[in-house]
């Protein structure tokens, strides 16, 4: 087989190069057109699935740019409902964060919005609708964003692996039960069709090929435990941010919106297989399988170096930090009696009538006043406590936080963390980005049903 160099792959995967001429925006801009499209999601014996996608595809086009670049992305909305795009994990100007009602107006049908992003950090990010996101993401409004390091590690292929969870009807159409109270009050909307979309799509691998795999969980609610067979390697980044010390790769458990970058070598021999396996309870489901063919190279390459760090501060102390509790309550089996919503205290029955089932610090829905107001440069510790019966994938906009570990050290930079029932964990960050930023559960059913708040940096 042909050995692809990194350069060839970059060229082949450049999103703009794949766009038909009609989708070109102004010079220097990339157009993202949100609209309905039909795609063959499941086997050919089923009809095509009507999805909502960017540029008629799901996932949308991969946006790829070098670190430090300015990128202009023009959203055009051809959907029947308003939309907006959030650039998940990117540390960008607040006005470009894509949150309707907070950083911009939702873009109505026929409308446009120009996102002007300066890409400070290299790594694996993604973009998705942030308006009616539970429905819009479930219908397919997301895509991958890759920001390339100036000196990326040498690999044979650089592949994105998008983990999707679709809830489809027997006619292979997206089930439209978005107001399903059981989903909203429990673990969220679980699909019945899980797949890993790998791009560029491989047909086979060769022995000792070195791969960079960028895994992204785009599911609205499902936690994805995934393992790989036929390869060995390391986790080199989480949520886009390089790990100071790569971790040996075993099982990867990704909450909604979490990412990992892996660098792995194909250790299966000719005649063997490379598998992507999804795990549920004691069963592994093979999502993808590829034959290992050809002579490949004779031996594995040496252990790799960590990725170059991104220009984000590493915390060393929280002595002068503001400590802010963030208590998660509510949901089924949660025992919540009442909560505030739109400035009023409501009983659980009244909250349910409003479709509000989850609270942060006793408040459901987006409060009028921020969780905190902080000055630029201040260090904040979010003390997260999960007093519910379900895990939550807590996501912060605007910057990344680091877990404050028991020995006083700090975990990797993350923008989304899974917090399990009963856990109490501290996450610290330096408020370095002015504006209004959301904190919410990225299980979009929970976010829809109340689990969100915000803070302001001045
Ligand atoms: Cu949640």
């Amino acid at each position: 087989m042909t050995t692809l160099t990194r350069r060839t792959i970059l060229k082949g995967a450049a999103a703009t190069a794949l766009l038909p001429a009609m989708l070109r925006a102004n010079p220097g801009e990339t157009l993202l057109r949100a609209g309905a499209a039909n795609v063959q999601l499941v086997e050919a014996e089923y009809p095509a699935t009507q999805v909502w996608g960017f540029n008629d595809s799901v996932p949308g086009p991969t946006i790829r740019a070098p670190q430090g670049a300015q990128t202009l992305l023009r959203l055009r909305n051809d959907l029947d409902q308003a939309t907006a795009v959030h650039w998940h994990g990117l540390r960008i100007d607040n006005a470009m964060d894509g949150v309707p009602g907070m950083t911009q107006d939702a873009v109505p049908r026929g409308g446009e919005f120009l996102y002007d992003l300066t890409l400070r950090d290299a790594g694996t990010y993604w973009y998705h609708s942030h308006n009616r996101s539970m429905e819009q993401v479930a219908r397919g409004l997301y895509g991958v964003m890759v920001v390339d390091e100036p000196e990326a590690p040498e690999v044979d292929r650089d592949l994105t692996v998008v983990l999707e969870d679709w809830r489809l009807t027997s006619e292979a159409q997206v089930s439209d039960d978005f107001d399903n109270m059981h989903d909203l009050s429990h673990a969220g909307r679980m699909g019945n069709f899980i797949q890993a979309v790998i791009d560029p799509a491989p047909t086979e691998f060769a022995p000792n090929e070195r791969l960079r795999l960028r895994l992204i969980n785009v599911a609205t609610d499902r936690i994805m435990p995934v393992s790989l067979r036929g390869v060995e390697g390391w986790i080199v980044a989480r949520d886009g941010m390089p790990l100071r010390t790569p971790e040996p790769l075993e099982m990867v458990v990704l909450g909604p919106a979490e990412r990992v970058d892996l660098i792995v070598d194909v250790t299966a021999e000719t005649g063997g297989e490379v598998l992507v396996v999804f795990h549920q309870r004691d069963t592994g489901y093979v999502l993808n399988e590829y034959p290992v063919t050809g002579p490949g190279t004779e031996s594995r390459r040496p252990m790799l170096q960590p990725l170059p760090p991104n220009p984000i501060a590493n915390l060393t102390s929280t002595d002068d930090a503001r400590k802010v509790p963030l208590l998660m309550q509510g949901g089924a089996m949660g025992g919540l009696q009442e909560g505030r919503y739109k400035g009023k205290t409501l009983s659980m029955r009244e909250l349910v009538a409003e479709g509000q089932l989850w609270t942060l610090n006793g408040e459901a829905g987006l409060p009028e006043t921020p969780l905190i107001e902080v000055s630029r440069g201040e260090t904040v510790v979010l003390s997260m406590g999960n007093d519910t019966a379900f895990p939550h994938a807590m996501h912060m906009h605007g910057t990344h936080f680091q877990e404050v570990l028991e020995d006083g050290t700090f975990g990797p930079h993350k923008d989304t963390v899974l917090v399990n029932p009963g856990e109490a964990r501290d996450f610290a960050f330096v408020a370095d980005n002015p504006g209004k930023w959301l904190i919410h559960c990225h299980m979009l059913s929970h976010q829809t049903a109340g689990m969100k708040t915000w803070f302001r940096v001045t």
Side-chain angles (χ1 to χ4, degrees), residues 203-246:
T203 52
E204 60 192 0
F205 291 105
N208 293 311
E209 252 193 290
R210 179 161 278 187
L211 317 172
R212 181 168 181 169
L213 302 173
R214 302 166 183 273
L215 275 63
I216 303 140
N217 181 357
V218 303
T220 55
D221 296 273
R222 188 187 285 278
I223 298 168
M224 299 270 196
V226 173
S227 70
L228 300 165
R229 305 285 164 82
V231 305
E232 285 176 29
W234 304 269
I235 301 175
V236 295
R238 290 187 182 275
D239 291 358
M241 294 289 179
L243 298 179
R244 278 162 289 178
T245 310

mmCIF file of all heavy atoms in Angstrom, residues 203-246:
data_model
loop_
_atom_site.group_PDB
_atom_site.id
_atom_site.type_symbol
_atom_site.label_atom_id
_atom_site.label_comp_id
_atom_site.label_asym_id
_atom_site.label_seq_id
_atom_site.Cartn_x
_atom_site.Cartn_y
_atom_site.Cartn_z
ATOM 1 N N THR A 203 -8.897 1.772 4.566
ATOM 2 C CA THR A 203 -9.393 0.468 4.121
ATOM 3 C C THR A 203 -8.547 -0.642 4.738
ATOM 4 O O THR A 203 -8.999 -1.769 4.882
ATOM 5 C CB THR A 203 -9.347 0.333 2.583
ATOM 6 O OG1 THR A 203 -8.031 0.663 2.145
ATOM 7 C CG2 THR A 203 -10.349 1.274 1.937
ATOM 8 N N GLU A 204 -7.311 -0.295 5.100
ATOM 9 C CA GLU A 204 -6.400 -1.297 5.669
ATOM 10 C C GLU A 204 -5.269 -0.564 6.374
ATOM 11 O O GLU A 204 -5.100 0.648 6.192
ATOM 12 C CB GLU A 204 -5.821 -2.166 4.556
ATOM 13 C CG GLU A 204 -5.041 -1.335 3.548
ATOM 14 C CD GLU A 204 -4.679 -2.082 2.261
ATOM 15 O OE1 GLU A 204 -5.041 -3.261 2.153
ATOM 16 O OE2 GLU A 204 -4.054 -1.478 1.398
ATOM 17 N N PHE A 205 -4.539 -1.297 7.191
ATOM 18 C CA PHE A 205 -3.346 -0.737 7.827
ATOM 19 C C PHE A 205 -2.169 -1.670 7.558
ATOM 20 O O PHE A 205 -2.359 -2.817 7.167
ATOM 21 C CB PHE A 205 -3.562 -0.577 9.337
ATOM 22 C CG PHE A 205 -4.549 0.496 9.685
ATOM 23 C CD1 PHE A 205 -5.838 0.178 10.112
ATOM 24 C CD2 PHE A 205 -4.208 1.840 9.571
ATOM 25 C CE1 PHE A 205 -6.761 1.170 10.430
ATOM 26 C CE2 PHE A 205 -5.117 2.838 9.885
ATOM 27 C CZ PHE A 205 -6.393 2.505 10.307
ATOM 28 N N ALA A 206 -0.974 -1.143 7.778
ATOM 29 C CA ALA A 206 0.239 -1.944 7.582
ATOM 30 C C ALA A 206 0.956 -2.123 8.925
ATOM 31 O O ALA A 206 0.832 -1.257 9.794
ATOM 32 C CB ALA A 206 1.162 -1.265 6.581
ATOM 33 N N PRO A 207 1.674 -3.217 9.098
ATOM 34 C CA PRO A 207 2.390 -3.429 10.359
ATOM 35 C C PRO A 207 3.303 -2.250 10.698
ATOM 36 O O PRO A 207 3.996 -1.725 9.826
ATOM 37 C CB PRO A 207 3.216 -4.700 10.088
ATOM 38 C CG PRO A 207 2.455 -5.412 9.034
ATOM 39 C CD PRO A 207 1.842 -4.354 8.174
ATOM 40 N N ASN A 208 3.231 -1.855 11.953
ATOM 41 C CA ASN A 208 4.084 -0.789 12.494
ATOM 42 C C ASN A 208 3.801 0.600 11.933
ATOM 43 O O ASN A 208 4.580 1.524 12.149
ATOM 44 C CB ASN A 208 5.569 -1.124 12.353
ATOM 45 C CG ASN A 208 5.940 -2.296 13.239
ATOM 46 O OD1 ASN A 208 5.597 -2.306 14.417
ATOM 47 N ND2 ASN A 208 6.586 -3.298 12.679
ATOM 48 N N GLU A 209 2.692 0.756 11.239
ATOM 49 C CA GLU A 209 2.296 2.111 10.872
ATOM 50 C C GLU A 209 2.072 2.914 12.143
ATOM 51 O O GLU A 209 1.469 2.401 13.100
ATOM 52 C CB GLU A 209 0.959 2.066 10.112
ATOM 53 C CG GLU A 209 1.067 2.346 8.646
ATOM 54 C CD GLU A 209 -0.302 2.599 8.044
ATOM 55 O OE1 GLU A 209 -1.104 1.650 7.949
ATOM 56 O OE2 GLU A 209 -0.559 3.755 7.684
ATOM 57 N N ARG A 210 2.474 4.168 12.125
ATOM 58 C CA ARG A 210 2.208 5.023 13.291
ATOM 59 C C ARG A 210 1.033 5.942 12.945
ATOM 60 O O ARG A 210 1.032 6.619 11.921
ATOM 61 C CB ARG A 210 3.449 5.825 13.675
ATOM 62 C CG ARG A 210 3.205 6.726 14.855
ATOM 63 C CD ARG A 210 4.482 7.168 15.540
ATOM 64 N NE ARG A 210 4.952 6.135 16.470
ATOM 65 C CZ ARG A 210 5.972 6.297 17.317
ATOM 66 N NH1 ARG A 210 6.637 7.427 17.342
ATOM 67 N NH2 ARG A 210 6.337 5.319 18.133
ATOM 68 N N LEU A 211 0.023 5.948 13.817
ATOM 69 C CA LEU A 211 -1.213 6.686 13.563
ATOM 70 C C LEU A 211 -1.427 7.723 14.650
ATOM 71 O O LEU A 211 -1.207 7.450 15.827
ATOM 72 C CB LEU A 211 -2.432 5.751 13.577
ATOM 73 C CG LEU A 211 -2.303 4.400 12.875
ATOM 74 C CD1 LEU A 211 -3.536 3.555 13.170
ATOM 75 C CD2 LEU A 211 -2.142 4.614 11.366
ATOM 76 N N ARG A 212 -1.904 8.884 14.256
ATOM 77 C CA ARG A 212 -2.465 9.807 15.237
ATOM 78 C C ARG A 212 -3.971 9.721 15.100
ATOM 79 O O ARG A 212 -4.513 9.929 14.010
ATOM 80 C CB ARG A 212 -1.990 11.238 14.984
ATOM 81 C CG ARG A 212 -2.554 12.229 16.007
ATOM 82 C CD ARG A 212 -1.853 13.566 15.915
ATOM 83 N NE ARG A 212 -2.355 14.519 16.899
ATOM 84 C CZ ARG A 212 -1.756 15.682 17.157
ATOM 85 N NH1 ARG A 212 -0.663 16.029 16.496
ATOM 86 N NH2 ARG A 212 -2.264 16.495 18.052
ATOM 87 N N LEU A 213 -4.639 9.395 16.186
ATOM 88 C CA LEU A 213 -6.094 9.246 16.167
ATOM 89 C C LEU A 213 -6.676 10.314 17.078
ATOM 90 O O LEU A 213 -6.292 10.441 18.236
ATOM 91 C CB LEU A 213 -6.497 7.857 16.674
ATOM 92 C CG LEU A 213 -5.908 6.669 15.903
ATOM 93 C CD1 LEU A 213 -6.239 5.357 16.620
ATOM 94 C CD2 LEU A 213 -6.449 6.633 14.477
ATOM 95 N N ARG A 214 -7.620 11.074 16.551
ATOM 96 C CA ARG A 214 -8.241 12.154 17.311
ATOM 97 C C ARG A 214 -9.683 11.745 17.582
ATOM 98 O O ARG A 214 -10.535 11.839 16.703
ATOM 99 C CB ARG A 214 -8.190 13.448 16.496
ATOM 100 C CG ARG A 214 -6.770 13.874 16.099
ATOM 101 C CD ARG A 214 -6.834 14.947 15.025
ATOM 102 N NE ARG A 214 -5.524 15.368 14.538
ATOM 103 C CZ ARG A 214 -4.777 16.326 15.077
ATOM 104 N NH1 ARG A 214 -5.219 16.991 16.127
ATOM 105 N NH2 ARG A 214 -3.607 16.653 14.559
ATOM 106 N N LEU A 215 -9.938 11.253 18.796
ATOM 107 C CA LEU A 215 -11.273 10.763 19.144
ATOM 108 C C LEU A 215 -12.112 11.883 19.742
ATOM 109 O O LEU A 215 -11.639 12.618 20.626
ATOM 110 C CB LEU A 215 -11.178 9.627 20.167
ATOM 111 C CG LEU A 215 -10.954 8.203 19.646
ATOM 112 C CD1 LEU A 215 -9.632 8.077 18.918
ATOM 113 C CD2 LEU A 215 -11.036 7.190 20.778
ATOM 114 N N ILE A 216 -13.330 11.998 19.271
ATOM 115 C CA ILE A 216 -14.242 13.047 19.735
ATOM 116 C C ILE A 216 -15.597 12.411 19.995
ATOM 117 O O ILE A 216 -16.154 11.770 19.104
ATOM 118 C CB ILE A 216 -14.402 14.136 18.656
ATOM 119 C CG1 ILE A 216 -13.035 14.723 18.290
ATOM 120 C CG2 ILE A 216 -15.358 15.242 19.111
ATOM 121 C CD1 ILE A 216 -12.874 14.987 16.827
ATOM 122 N N ASN A 217 -16.118 12.576 21.203
ATOM 123 C CA ASN A 217 -17.465 12.076 21.495
ATOM 124 C C ASN A 217 -18.470 13.197 21.233
ATOM 125 O O ASN A 217 -18.557 14.155 21.990
ATOM 126 C CB ASN A 217 -17.554 11.605 22.953
ATOM 127 C CG ASN A 217 -18.929 11.052 23.295
ATOM 128 O OD1 ASN A 217 -19.846 11.073 22.454
ATOM 129 N ND2 ASN A 217 -19.094 10.566 24.509
ATOM 130 N N VAL A 218 -19.228 13.054 20.142
ATOM 131 C CA VAL A 218 -20.198 14.093 19.781
ATOM 132 C C VAL A 218 -21.619 13.720 20.204
ATOM 133 O O VAL A 218 -22.579 14.415 19.864
ATOM 134 C CB VAL A 218 -20.179 14.393 18.259
ATOM 135 C CG1 VAL A 218 -18.790 14.812 17.811
ATOM 136 C CG2 VAL A 218 -20.690 13.215 17.452
ATOM 137 N N ALA A 219 -21.759 12.615 20.935
ATOM 138 C CA ALA A 219 -23.092 12.178 21.371
ATOM 139 C C ALA A 219 -23.741 13.247 22.239
ATOM 140 O O ALA A 219 -23.053 13.955 22.975
ATOM 141 C CB ALA A 219 -22.975 10.877 22.165
ATOM 142 N N THR A 220 -25.054 13.359 22.174
ATOM 143 C CA THR A 220 -25.725 14.336 23.021
ATOM 144 C C THR A 220 -25.578 13.957 24.490
ATOM 145 O O THR A 220 -25.397 14.820 25.342
ATOM 146 C CB THR A 220 -27.226 14.450 22.696
ATOM 147 O OG1 THR A 220 -27.819 13.154 22.796
ATOM 148 C CG2 THR A 220 -27.453 15.026 21.310
ATOM 149 N N ASP A 221 -25.638 12.673 24.812
ATOM 150 C CA ASP A 221 -25.680 12.257 26.216
ATOM 151 C C ASP A 221 -24.848 11.031 26.575
ATOM 152 O O ASP A 221 -24.578 10.817 27.746
ATOM 153 C CB ASP A 221 -27.137 11.970 26.618
ATOM 154 C CG ASP A 221 -28.008 13.224 26.538
ATOM 155 O OD1 ASP A 221 -28.060 13.959 27.525
ATOM 156 O OD2 ASP A 221 -28.594 13.497 25.470
ATOM 157 N N ARG A 222 -24.484 10.232 25.606
ATOM 158 C CA ARG A 222 -23.900 8.919 25.945
ATOM 159 C C ARG A 222 -22.409 9.013 26.282
ATOM 160 O O ARG A 222 -21.636 9.639 25.557
ATOM 161 C CB ARG A 222 -24.080 7.927 24.795
ATOM 162 C CG ARG A 222 -23.666 6.511 25.171
ATOM 163 C CD ARG A 222 -23.674 5.569 23.982
ATOM 164 N NE ARG A 222 -25.009 5.167 23.545
ATOM 165 C CZ ARG A 222 -25.726 4.195 24.111
ATOM 166 N NH1 ARG A 222 -25.242 3.542 25.145
ATOM 167 N NH2 ARG A 222 -26.911 3.883 23.628
ATOM 168 N N ILE A 223 -22.031 8.352 27.364
ATOM 169 C CA ILE A 223 -20.617 8.176 27.707
ATOM 170 C C ILE A 223 -20.093 7.018 26.860
ATOM 171 O O ILE A 223 -20.744 5.981 26.772
ATOM 172 C CB ILE A 223 -20.465 7.866 29.209
ATOM 173 C CG1 ILE A 223 -20.993 9.039 30.045
ATOM 174 C CG2 ILE A 223 -19.013 7.561 29.563
ATOM 175 C CD1 ILE A 223 -21.162 8.722 31.531
ATOM 176 N N MET A 224 -18.952 7.210 26.240
ATOM 177 C CA MET A 224 -18.425 6.203 25.313
ATOM 178 C C MET A 224 -17.134 5.563 25.844
ATOM 179 O O MET A 224 -16.082 6.182 25.811
ATOM 180 C CB MET A 224 -18.088 6.865 23.973
ATOM 181 C CG MET A 224 -19.271 7.503 23.275
ATOM 182 S SD MET A 224 -20.095 6.330 22.189
ATOM 183 C CE MET A 224 -21.055 7.492 21.189
ATOM 184 N N PRO A 225 -17.204 4.310 26.326
ATOM 185 C CA PRO A 225 -15.985 3.553 26.624
ATOM 186 C C PRO A 225 -15.523 2.855 25.338
ATOM 187 O O PRO A 225 -16.275 2.077 24.749
ATOM 188 C CB PRO A 225 -16.446 2.532 27.672
ATOM 189 C CG PRO A 225 -17.889 2.900 27.991
ATOM 190 C CD PRO A 225 -18.407 3.625 26.805
ATOM 191 N N VAL A 226 -14.308 3.147 24.923
ATOM 192 C CA VAL A 226 -13.816 2.644 23.638
ATOM 193 C C VAL A 226 -12.420 2.074 23.821
ATOM 194 O O VAL A 226 -11.609 2.622 24.568
ATOM 195 C CB VAL A 226 -13.776 3.803 22.603
ATOM 196 C CG1 VAL A 226 -13.112 3.364 21.309
ATOM 197 C CG2 VAL A 226 -15.183 4.310 22.316
ATOM 198 N N SER A 227 -12.147 0.953 23.142
ATOM 199 C CA SER A 227 -10.776 0.441 23.122
ATOM 200 C C SER A 227 -10.383 0.115 21.695
ATOM 201 O O SER A 227 -11.239 0.016 20.807
ATOM 202 C CB SER A 227 -10.639 -0.793 24.018
ATOM 203 O OG SER A 227 -11.326 -1.877 23.436
ATOM 204 N N LEU A 228 -9.098 -0.032 21.479
ATOM 205 C CA LEU A 228 -8.567 -0.356 20.156
ATOM 206 C C LEU A 228 -7.805 -1.662 20.260
ATOM 207 O O LEU A 228 -7.108 -1.896 21.243
ATOM 208 C CB LEU A 228 -7.629 0.753 19.676
ATOM 209 C CG LEU A 228 -8.270 2.134 19.555
ATOM 210 C CD1 LEU A 228 -7.205 3.213 19.437
ATOM 211 C CD2 LEU A 228 -9.193 2.180 18.351
ATOM 212 N N ARG A 229 -7.982 -2.520 19.272
ATOM 213 C CA ARG A 229 -7.228 -3.781 19.231
ATOM 214 C C ARG A 229 -6.308 -3.741 18.020
ATOM 215 O O ARG A 229 -6.677 -3.194 16.992
ATOM 216 C CB ARG A 229 -8.182 -4.979 19.090
ATOM 217 C CG ARG A 229 -9.245 -5.051 20.158
ATOM 218 C CD ARG A 229 -8.701 -5.523 21.507
ATOM 219 N NE ARG A 229 -9.638 -5.215 22.582
ATOM 220 C CZ ARG A 229 -10.699 -5.949 22.894
ATOM 221 N NH1 ARG A 229 -10.972 -7.035 22.222
ATOM 222 N NH2 ARG A 229 -11.505 -5.597 23.884
ATOM 223 N N GLY A 230 -5.149 -4.346 18.181
ATOM 224 C CA GLY A 230 -4.199 -4.402 17.061
ATOM 225 C C GLY A 230 -3.256 -3.215 17.014
ATOM 226 O O GLY A 230 -2.492 -3.072 16.062
ATOM 227 N N VAL A 231 -3.361 -2.363 18.019
ATOM 228 C CA VAL A 231 -2.444 -1.221 18.111
ATOM 229 C C VAL A 231 -1.986 -1.079 19.561
ATOM 230 O O VAL A 231 -2.646 -1.555 20.479
ATOM 231 C CB VAL A 231 -3.092 0.118 17.658
ATOM 232 C CG1 VAL A 231 -3.655 0.009 16.249
ATOM 233 C CG2 VAL A 231 -4.176 0.571 18.639
ATOM 234 N N GLU A 232 -0.854 -0.399 19.741
ATOM 235 C CA GLU A 232 -0.408 -0.022 21.086
ATOM 236 C C GLU A 232 0.118 1.400 21.017
ATOM 237 O O GLU A 232 0.672 1.807 19.988
ATOM 238 C CB GLU A 232 0.739 -0.943 21.559
ATOM 239 C CG GLU A 232 0.289 -2.313 21.975
ATOM 240 C CD GLU A 232 1.468 -3.211 22.350
ATOM 241 O OE1 GLU A 232 2.500 -2.685 22.811
ATOM 242 O OE2 GLU A 232 1.338 -4.438 22.145
ATOM 243 N N GLY A 233 -0.062 2.120 22.104
ATOM 244 C CA GLY A 233 0.451 3.489 22.051
ATOM 245 C C GLY A 233 0.091 4.286 23.275
ATOM 246 O O GLY A 233 -0.042 3.735 24.373
ATOM 247 N N TRP A 234 -0.110 5.581 23.081
ATOM 248 C CA TRP A 234 -0.204 6.517 24.191
ATOM 249 C C TRP A 234 -1.355 7.501 23.968
ATOM 250 O O TRP A 234 -1.717 7.810 22.828
ATOM 251 C CB TRP A 234 1.075 7.337 24.299
ATOM 252 C CG TRP A 234 2.298 6.495 24.436
ATOM 253 C CD1 TRP A 234 2.870 6.067 25.599
ATOM 254 C CD2 TRP A 234 3.105 5.957 23.375
ATOM 255 N NE1 TRP A 234 3.983 5.290 25.322
ATOM 256 C CE2 TRP A 234 4.143 5.212 23.975
ATOM 257 C CE3 TRP A 234 3.040 6.026 21.972
ATOM 258 C CZ2 TRP A 234 5.117 4.550 23.223
ATOM 259 C CZ3 TRP A 234 4.008 5.370 21.225
ATOM 260 C CH2 TRP A 234 5.029 4.636 21.865
ATOM 261 N N ILE A 235 -1.905 7.989 25.062
ATOM 262 C CA ILE A 235 -2.766 9.168 25.012
ATOM 263 C C ILE A 235 -1.824 10.360 25.127
ATOM 264 O O ILE A 235 -1.047 10.454 26.092
ATOM 265 C CB ILE A 235 -3.767 9.184 26.185
ATOM 266 C CG1 ILE A 235 -4.649 7.933 26.145
ATOM 267 C CG2 ILE A 235 -4.627 10.443 26.137
ATOM 268 C CD1 ILE A 235 -5.592 7.815 27.340
ATOM 269 N N VAL A 236 -1.851 11.253 24.159
ATOM 270 C CA VAL A 236 -0.905 12.377 24.152
ATOM 271 C C VAL A 236 -1.584 13.712 24.448
ATOM 272 O O VAL A 236 -0.904 14.694 24.747
ATOM 273 C CB VAL A 236 -0.116 12.459 22.828
ATOM 274 C CG1 VAL A 236 0.769 11.224 22.675
ATOM 275 C CG2 VAL A 236 -1.041 12.636 21.626
ATOM 276 N N ALA A 237 -2.914 13.769 24.350
ATOM 277 C CA ALA A 237 -3.617 15.023 24.652
ATOM 278 C C ALA A 237 -5.023 14.692 25.108
ATOM 279 O O ALA A 237 -5.604 13.676 24.715
ATOM 280 C CB ALA A 237 -3.670 15.929 23.422
ATOM 281 N N ARG A 238 -5.564 15.555 25.974
ATOM 282 C CA ARG A 238 -6.964 15.457 26.380
ATOM 283 C C ARG A 238 -7.629 16.792 26.123
ATOM 284 O O ARG A 238 -7.064 17.839 26.449
ATOM 285 C CB ARG A 238 -7.076 15.107 27.875
ATOM 286 C CG ARG A 238 -6.647 13.673 28.191
ATOM 287 C CD ARG A 238 -6.937 13.333 29.655
ATOM 288 N NE ARG A 238 -6.503 11.993 29.993
ATOM 289 C CZ ARG A 238 -7.239 10.882 29.793
ATOM 290 N NH1 ARG A 238 -8.445 10.971 29.280
ATOM 291 N NH2 ARG A 238 -6.768 9.701 30.127
ATOM 292 N N ASP A 239 -8.817 16.743 25.555
ATOM 293 C CA ASP A 239 -9.555 17.971 25.216
ATOM 294 C C ASP A 239 -8.673 18.956 24.448
ATOM 295 O O ASP A 239 -8.742 20.173 24.648
ATOM 296 C CB ASP A 239 -10.126 18.636 26.481
ATOM 297 C CG ASP A 239 -11.246 17.820 27.115
ATOM 298 O OD1 ASP A 239 -11.605 16.752 26.553
ATOM 299 O OD2 ASP A 239 -11.763 18.240 28.161
ATOM 300 N N GLY A 240 -7.831 18.434 23.567
ATOM 301 C CA GLY A 240 -6.982 19.277 22.732
ATOM 302 C C GLY A 240 -5.658 19.627 23.357
ATOM 303 O O GLY A 240 -4.689 19.924 22.660
ATOM 304 N N MET A 241 -5.578 19.604 24.681
ATOM 305 C CA MET A 241 -4.391 20.093 25.367
ATOM 306 C C MET A 241 -3.384 18.964 25.597
ATOM 307 O O MET A 241 -3.727 17.916 26.179
ATOM 308 C CB MET A 241 -4.782 20.710 26.717
ATOM 309 C CG MET A 241 -5.625 21.963 26.594
ATOM 310 S SD MET A 241 -4.630 23.344 25.966
ATOM 311 C CE MET A 241 -5.904 24.633 25.914
ATOM 312 N N PRO A 242 -2.124 19.175 25.169
ATOM 313 C CA PRO A 242 -1.094 18.144 25.309
ATOM 314 C C PRO A 242 -0.879 17.730 26.756
ATOM 315 O O PRO A 242 -0.896 18.570 27.660
ATOM 316 C CB PRO A 242 0.167 18.837 24.779
ATOM 317 C CG PRO A 242 -0.327 19.924 23.895
ATOM 318 C CD PRO A 242 -1.627 20.384 24.484
ATOM 319 N N LEU A 243 -0.698 16.448 26.983
ATOM 320 C CA LEU A 243 -0.323 15.960 28.313
ATOM 321 C C LEU A 243 1.186 16.140 28.478
ATOM 322 O O LEU A 243 1.953 15.893 27.543
ATOM 323 C CB LEU A 243 -0.681 14.476 28.458
ATOM 324 C CG LEU A 243 -2.165 14.123 28.337
ATOM 325 C CD1 LEU A 243 -2.363 12.609 28.472
ATOM 326 C CD2 LEU A 243 -2.980 14.864 29.386
ATOM 327 N N ARG A 244 1.594 16.550 29.679
ATOM 328 C CA ARG A 244 3.032 16.727 29.909
ATOM 329 C C ARG A 244 3.744 15.386 29.796
ATOM 330 O O ARG A 244 4.859 15.301 29.313
ATOM 331 C CB ARG A 244 3.267 17.368 31.284
ATOM 332 C CG ARG A 244 3.100 18.888 31.240
ATOM 333 C CD ARG A 244 2.897 19.464 32.627
ATOM 334 N NE ARG A 244 1.567 19.109 33.158
ATOM 335 C CZ ARG A 244 1.142 19.451 34.373
ATOM 336 N NH1 ARG A 244 1.926 20.097 35.193
ATOM 337 N NH2 ARG A 244 -0.088 19.126 34.758
ATOM 338 N N THR A 245 3.065 14.327 30.261
ATOM 339 C CA THR A 245 3.614 12.978 30.127
ATOM 340 C C THR A 245 2.553 12.112 29.445
ATOM 341 O O THR A 245 1.485 11.909 30.006
ATOM 342 C CB THR A 245 3.926 12.374 31.518
ATOM 343 O OG1 THR A 245 4.687 13.340 32.257
ATOM 344 C CG2 THR A 245 4.703 11.090 31.391
ATOM 345 N N PRO A 246 2.823 11.638 28.228
ATOM 346 C CA PRO A 246 1.836 10.755 27.577
ATOM 347 C C PRO A 246 1.518 9.553 28.454
ATOM 348 O O PRO A 246 2.386 9.060 29.176
ATOM 349 C CB PRO A 246 2.553 10.335 26.293
ATOM 350 C CG PRO A 246 3.526 11.440 26.014
ATOM 351 C CD PRO A 246 3.982 11.925 27.369
#
